[in-house]
PDB file of all heavy atoms in Angstrom:
ATOM      1  N   LEU A 483       7.555  23.224  17.036  1.00 93.00           N
ATOM      2  CA  LEU A 483       7.331  22.488  15.793  1.00 93.00           C
ATOM      3  C   LEU A 483       7.085  23.432  14.623  1.00 93.00           C
ATOM      4  O   LEU A 483       6.357  24.434  14.749  1.00 93.00           O
ATOM      5  CB  LEU A 483       6.103  21.577  15.945  1.00 93.00           C
ATOM      6  CG  LEU A 483       6.264  20.284  16.774  1.00 93.00           C
ATOM      7  CD1 LEU A 483       4.913  19.675  17.037  1.00 93.00           C
ATOM      8  CD2 LEU A 483       7.171  19.300  16.044  1.00 93.00           C
ATOM      9  N   PHE A 484       7.715  23.120  13.480  1.00 93.00           N
ATOM     10  CA  PHE A 484       7.356  23.830  12.263  1.00 93.00           C
ATOM     11  C   PHE A 484       5.939  23.425  11.880  1.00 93.00           C
ATOM     12  O   PHE A 484       5.551  22.263  12.061  1.00 93.00           O
ATOM     13  CB  PHE A 484       8.311  23.436  11.118  1.00 93.00           C
ATOM     14  CG  PHE A 484       9.659  24.083  11.156  1.00 93.00           C
ATOM     15  CD1 PHE A 484      10.738  23.426  11.705  1.00 93.00           C
ATOM     16  CD2 PHE A 484       9.834  25.350  10.637  1.00 93.00           C
ATOM     17  CE1 PHE A 484      12.000  24.027  11.735  1.00 93.00           C
ATOM     18  CE2 PHE A 484      11.082  25.976  10.650  1.00 93.00           C
ATOM     19  CZ  PHE A 484      12.158  25.298  11.188  1.00 93.00           C
ATOM     20  N   PRO A 485       5.126  24.328  11.327  1.00 95.00           N
ATOM     21  CA  PRO A 485       3.762  23.965  10.922  1.00 95.00           C
ATOM     22  C   PRO A 485       3.724  22.790   9.966  1.00 95.00           C
ATOM     23  O   PRO A 485       2.877  21.900  10.081  1.00 95.00           O
ATOM     24  CB  PRO A 485       3.242  25.252  10.285  1.00 95.00           C
ATOM     25  CG  PRO A 485       4.007  26.344  10.958  1.00 95.00           C
ATOM     26  CD  PRO A 485       5.382  25.785  11.167  1.00 95.00           C
ATOM     27  N   GLY A 486       4.636  22.753   9.001  1.00 96.00           N
ATOM     28  CA  GLY A 486       4.662  21.636   8.054  1.00 96.00           C
ATOM     29  C   GLY A 486       4.989  20.320   8.732  1.00 96.00           C
ATOM     30  O   GLY A 486       4.382  19.283   8.429  1.00 96.00           O
ATOM     31  N   SER A 487       5.937  20.346   9.659  1.00 95.00           N
ATOM     32  CA  SER A 487       6.298  19.121  10.391  1.00 95.00           C
ATOM     33  C   SER A 487       5.153  18.649  11.277  1.00 95.00           C
ATOM     34  O   SER A 487       4.909  17.454  11.398  1.00 95.00           O
ATOM     35  CB  SER A 487       7.560  19.370  11.219  1.00 95.00           C
ATOM     36  OG  SER A 487       8.656  19.702  10.382  1.00 95.00           O
ATOM     37  N   ARG A 488       4.503  19.619  11.918  1.00 96.00           N
ATOM     38  CA  ARG A 488       3.372  19.256  12.769  1.00 96.00           C
ATOM     39  C   ARG A 488       2.302  18.517  11.977  1.00 96.00           C
ATOM     40  O   ARG A 488       1.774  17.485  12.392  1.00 96.00           O
ATOM     41  CB  ARG A 488       2.773  20.494  13.424  1.00 96.00           C
ATOM     42  CG  ARG A 488       1.567  20.176  14.337  1.00 96.00           C
ATOM     43  CD  ARG A 488       0.882  21.433  14.860  1.00 96.00           C
ATOM     44  NE  ARG A 488       1.785  22.211  15.675  1.00 96.00           N
ATOM     45  CZ  ARG A 488       2.273  23.414  15.392  1.00 96.00           C
ATOM     46  NH1 ARG A 488       1.917  23.969  14.219  1.00 96.00           N
ATOM     47  NH2 ARG A 488       3.059  24.053  16.187  1.00 96.00           N
ATOM     48  N   ARG A 489       2.000  19.061  10.782  1.00 97.00           N
ATOM     49  CA  ARG A 489       0.947  18.437   9.968  1.00 97.00           C
ATOM     50  C   ARG A 489       1.395  17.067   9.460  1.00 97.00           C
ATOM     51  O   ARG A 489       0.563  16.142   9.356  1.00 97.00           O
ATOM     52  CB  ARG A 489       0.612  19.372   8.791  1.00 97.00           C
ATOM     53  CG  ARG A 489      -0.671  18.964   8.056  1.00 97.00           C
ATOM     54  CD  ARG A 489      -1.863  18.976   8.997  1.00 97.00           C
ATOM     55  NE  ARG A 489      -3.104  18.645   8.319  1.00 97.00           N
ATOM     56  CZ  ARG A 489      -4.114  18.003   8.918  1.00 97.00           C
ATOM     57  NH1 ARG A 489      -4.009  17.626  10.176  1.00 97.00           N
ATOM     58  NH2 ARG A 489      -5.222  17.749   8.256  1.00 97.00           N
ATOM     59  N   LEU A 490       2.678  16.909   9.164  1.00 97.00           N
ATOM     60  CA  LEU A 490       3.191  15.596   8.749  1.00 97.00           C
ATOM     61  C   LEU A 490       3.042  14.583   9.872  1.00 97.00           C
ATOM     62  O   LEU A 490       2.649  13.433   9.643  1.00 97.00           O
ATOM     63  CB  LEU A 490       4.650  15.721   8.340  1.00 97.00           C
ATOM     64  CG  LEU A 490       4.895  16.091   6.872  1.00 97.00           C
ATOM     65  CD1 LEU A 490       6.342  16.508   6.658  1.00 97.00           C
ATOM     66  CD2 LEU A 490       4.514  14.933   5.948  1.00 97.00           C
ATOM     67  N   ILE A 491       3.353  14.986  11.080  1.00 96.00           N
ATOM     68  CA  ILE A 491       3.225  14.075  12.214  1.00 96.00           C
ATOM     69  C   ILE A 491       1.764  13.673  12.397  1.00 96.00           C
ATOM     70  O   ILE A 491       1.454  12.521  12.744  1.00 96.00           O
ATOM     71  CB  ILE A 491       3.778  14.727  13.515  1.00 96.00           C
ATOM     72  CG1 ILE A 491       5.296  14.877  13.372  1.00 96.00           C
ATOM     73  CG2 ILE A 491       3.424  13.924  14.727  1.00 96.00           C
ATOM     74  CD1 ILE A 491       5.921  15.728  14.471  1.00 96.00           C
ATOM     75  N   GLU A 492       0.865  14.609  12.130  1.00 97.00           N
ATOM     76  CA  GLU A 492      -0.555  14.324  12.274  1.00 97.00           C
ATOM     77  C   GLU A 492      -1.079  13.392  11.178  1.00 97.00           C
ATOM     78  O   GLU A 492      -1.971  12.564  11.436  1.00 97.00           O
ATOM     79  CB  GLU A 492      -1.348  15.638  12.228  1.00 97.00           C
ATOM     80  CG  GLU A 492      -1.111  16.543  13.411  1.00 97.00           C
ATOM     81  CD  GLU A 492      -1.650  17.949  13.208  1.00 97.00           C
ATOM     82  OE1 GLU A 492      -1.997  18.307  12.065  1.00 97.00           O
ATOM     83  OE2 GLU A 492      -1.721  18.692  14.202  1.00 97.00           O
ATOM     84  N   LEU A 493      -0.518  13.480   9.973  1.00 97.00           N
ATOM     85  CA  LEU A 493      -1.091  12.751   8.826  1.00 97.00           C
ATOM     86  C   LEU A 493      -0.282  11.561   8.357  1.00 97.00           C
ATOM     87  O   LEU A 493      -0.815  10.666   7.688  1.00 97.00           O
ATOM     88  CB  LEU A 493      -1.263  13.700   7.642  1.00 97.00           C
ATOM     89  CG  LEU A 493      -2.343  14.786   7.752  1.00 97.00           C
ATOM     90  CD1 LEU A 493      -2.399  15.577   6.440  1.00 97.00           C
ATOM     91  CD2 LEU A 493      -3.709  14.176   8.061  1.00 97.00           C
ATOM     92  N   ALA A 494       1.006  11.512   8.639  1.00 97.00           N
ATOM     93  CA  ALA A 494       1.883  10.498   8.041  1.00 97.00           C
ATOM     94  C   ALA A 494       1.477   9.084   8.467  1.00 97.00           C
ATOM     95  O   ALA A 494       1.055   8.844   9.600  1.00 97.00           O
ATOM     96  CB  ALA A 494       3.329  10.745   8.432  1.00 97.00           C
ATOM     97  N   ASP A 495       1.627   8.142   7.525  1.00 97.00           N
ATOM     98  CA  ASP A 495       1.448   6.739   7.861  1.00 97.00           C
ATOM     99  C   ASP A 495       2.562   6.261   8.775  1.00 97.00           C
ATOM    100  O   ASP A 495       2.353   5.415   9.636  1.00 97.00           O
ATOM    101  CB  ASP A 495       1.419   5.886   6.582  1.00 97.00           C
ATOM    102  CG  ASP A 495       0.264   6.253   5.675  1.00 97.00           C
ATOM    103  OD1 ASP A 495      -0.879   5.969   6.071  1.00 97.00           O
ATOM    104  OD2 ASP A 495       0.503   6.820   4.602  1.00 97.00           O
TER     105      ASP A 495
END
Side-chain angles (χ1 to χ4, degrees):
L483 285 169
F484 282 97
S487 298
R488 179 186 298 113
R489 193 60 178 148
L490 273 166
I491 292 170
E492 293 167 347
L493 290 182
D495 297 292

